[in-house]
Amino acid sequence: MAAKHLPTPTPEQQQVLDRILVQRERLRARREAYQQTRAIVQARAGLNPADPLPQRLIAFTRLHPAVVGVAAALAAVAGPRRLIRWSGALLPLLAKLRR
């Protein structure tokens, strides 16, 4: 199959095409910088998806102490009966996630 011949762009069209090219390069560089930054942060935090669940929970606690504090406060307010009832519903879901 022969390639279609594209008409040569006018100077105005070429300016638009050049701006699009610059924007694509800028977005690509931004995406790569974000990915590198994210990899560095995860390496420093010691996050590894292959780690056992207790290690991941400890890492989460170190990274987000306020969230863990709020969860502990809610657990204290909810009381032991509700916690047992909720855990009966959540533990099977967690078991499915681990598979």
Side-chain angles (χ1 to χ4, degrees):
M1 200 178 240
K4 293 183 181 180
H5 178 67
L6 296 175
T8 56
T10 63
E12 293 84 15
Q13 291 172 334
Q14 188 60 46
Q15 285 179 344
V16 171
L17 291 173
D18 291 341
R19 284 193 311 229
I20 291 171
L21 180 64
V22 168
Q23 183 179 22
R24 285 182 179 166
E25 290 173 357
R26 187 176 62 242
L27 290 173
R28 186 177 302 115
R30 185 171 141 192
R31 183 173 46 248
E32 289 173 1
Y34 173 75
Q35 290 172 348
Q36 288 175 352
T37 304
R38 188 172 178 197
I40 290 170
V41 167
Q42 285 182 348
R44 286 184 183 167
L47 296 178
N48 185 2
D51 284 345
L53 183 62
Q55 266 185 330
R56 288 186 288 170
L57 289 175
I58 290 170
F60 182 82
T61 302
R62 287 182 184 152
L63 291 173
H64 308 288
V67 173
V68 175
V70 168
L74 287 175
V77 169
R81 283 188 181 171
R82 283 190 184 151
L83 289 179
I84 292 171
R85 197 175 331 144
W86 291 345
S87 66
L90 292 177
L91 285 177
L93 294 174
L94 290 174
K96 285 182 184 178
L97 289 176
R98 290 188 69 185
R99 292 182 195 164

